[in-house]
Amino acid sequence: MNEATVIIAAWSAERFISKSIQSALAQEDVSVQVIVVDDASPDNTASAVASFPDVTYERLPENGGPSVARNAAIDLAGTEWVAVLDADDTLAPDSLKTLIGVAQDTQADIVLGNIVRVDETGPGQAWLSGKAVPEGQMLSLAEYLGHDQFTSSSAKIGYLKPLFRKSALDRLSLRYDVTLRNSEDFHIILRAIALGARVVVSGAPTYRYTVRAGSTSDRVAPEIFEALHKADRAFVQEFSSQLDDTARSLLQRRQVALRQFIEVERIMGYLKGRDPGQALRHFVRHPSVTGRLARQLSEALYKRIFSHKFRSL
């Protein structure tokens, strides 16, 4: 029987981590070890995990973000296969069996598992449904980047959750970028491909991504995008000799999009802080964000009207 470790980076996860752990322990035909690394949670996450005596629990002395917690969990893992599970998400019962099977059939070092969004009404459509993604084929840098652009038509496979071959992570000295608190999965896969790892996509929607009711804000702090922008630049500098023209062009487009996100979030922050004058001055200095800003403002207005409608019922 195959053995796998499910690593869970947890922060303030007291309310939902039990369901996550239960789904990991309920895997079919795979012997599972679960490791929870608590990222200095201020709540009773530790008590929730303590009800599972077979789960390994480690608490970090200070909050470092999901990358720090995942790296600690990877270092503790004692199996060949390591799967990433967020503390508020769950795995389908056949998730690990399916992904390990794909890895063994393709000799992959990393398998990116398809996800399905789940809310209070139940599962939705699979993330990659209808998307032209090369399943089971080794991804090049250009293919990976091409399927993860900031456009509505992109499959955004950087959102997919990975199953790692632990020996490959150790051989390549590959771990999560601790400067990132967002898109950390995207960057570890990007580096893995650049370092020669075999990365493939599984179309089976076995990872259940939880969408919680009442979450109306999609704003991301500009500092998050700044960190991504910096990580992208560092990647280009480190692997410049390995980038073909297509990959280089895709990375440049991503850099432009990230810069626009940064400036839009700054403008939205000024508006939220009721400083329209500063928002206008910032917009004048960055007119290229017009289209993205218009979309963000229309989405914010829709959410405000929508939430007000239901508060009035």
Side-chain angles (χ1 to χ4, degrees):
M1 180 181 290
N2 288 306
E3 297 181 341
T5 301
V6 176
I7 61 171
I8 303 174
W11 186 81
S12 292
E14 175 189 3
R15 294 181 295 110
F16 38 74
I17 196 169
S18 294
K19 190 174 181 180
S20 178
I21 293 172
Q22 288 167 355
S23 77
L25 294 174
Q27 291 300 293
E28 300 170 348
D29 303 324
V30 177
S31 177
V32 176
Q33 172 192 21
V34 177
I35 297 175
V36 175
V37 174
D38 186 342
D39 195 17
S41 296
D43 67 354
N44 291 318
T45 294
S47 297
V49 178
S51 62
F52 299 92
D54 294 331
V55 171
T56 299
Y57 173 82
E58 177 117 346
R59 179 180 171 86
L60 298 180
E62 60 183 13
N63 181 267
S67 292
V68 173
R70 287 180 188 166
N71 286 344
I74 290 171
D75 290 341
L76 291 171
T79 60
E80 175 67 343
W81 303 106
V82 178
V84 175
L85 177 62
D86 287 346
D88 57 346
D89 295 335
T90 59
L91 299 175
D94 63 344
S95 180
L96 296 185
K97 176 176 69 174
T98 298
L99 297 183
I100 292 173
V102 171
Q104 292 173 334
D105 289 345
T106 61
Q107 298 300 302
D109 297 310
I110 303 172
V111 180
L112 304 178
N114 197 1
I115 62 179
V116 59
R117 290 164 60 93
V118 179
D119 61 20
E120 64 276 7
T121 65
Q125 190 177 47
W127 185 252
L128 296 182
S129 179
K131 303 287 187 180
V133 176
E135 295 181 35
Q137 300 177 28
M138 183 175 170
L139 293 171
S140 67
L141 279 174
E143 287 170 330
Y144 183 64
L145 289 164
H147 287 292
D148 204 291
Q149 291 293 299
F150 294 107
T151 64
S152 58
S153 60
S154 173
K156 296 182 180 62
I157 60 178
Y159 289 167
L160 305 185
K161 285 300 178 182
L163 171 79
F164 297 112
R165 192 186 292 269
K166 174 73 182 301
S167 58
L169 293 179
D170 292 341
R171 183 183 76 250
L172 299 172
S173 299
L174 185 64
R175 292 295 188 270
Y176 279 92
D177 185 339
V178 298
T179 69
L180 299 179
R181 289 176 177 257
N182 187 286
S183 296
E184 62 278 356
D185 286 320
F186 169 83
H187 259 278
I188 194 173
I189 302 304
L190 189 66
R191 287 186 56 82
I193 296 172
L195 290 168
R198 293 184 60 88
V199 179
V200 303
V201 173
S202 168
T206 58
Y207 187 97
R208 296 167 176 171
Y209 169 74
T210 304
V211 181
R212 301 200 173 276
S215 178
T216 60
S217 176
D218 292 327
R219 290 199 62 236
V220 178
E223 292 75 19
I224 297 293
F225 288 126
E226 289 279 11
L228 287 172
H229 198 264
K230 183 177 180 180
D232 278 16
R233 293 200 310 272
F235 176 84
V236 171
Q237 183 174 8
E238 181 178 358
F239 295 102
S240 179
S241 63
Q242 297 172 231
L243 300 176
D244 60 22
D245 290 343
T246 301
R248 193 178 300 277
S249 175
L250 289 167
L251 279 164
Q252 289 172 346
R253 285 167 53 187
R254 177 180 162 86
Q255 287 274 281
V256 170
L258 281 170
R259 177 49 58 188
Q260 289 182 343
F261 277 121
I262 291 166
E263 305 310 339
V264 166
E265 289 304 321
R266 294 198 189 286
I267 293 169
M268 295 295 289
Y270 289 132
L271 292 174
K272 187 176 181 180
R274 299 188 178 184
D275 190 349
Q278 186 62 26
L280 179 60
R281 285 189 289 273
H282 200 80
F283 171 71
V284 170
R285 289 196 296 270
H286 303 279
S288 64
V289 306
T290 301
R292 197 174 298 279
L293 177 62
R295 288 193 296 273
Q296 190 120 338
L297 286 170
S298 64
E299 290 171 5
L301 180 60
Y302 172 80
K303 288 177 181 179
R304 184 171 182 178
I305 294 172
F306 188 77
S307 61
H308 176 75
K309 174 183 176 182
F310 279 88
R311 285 198 304 268
S312 301
L313 291 179

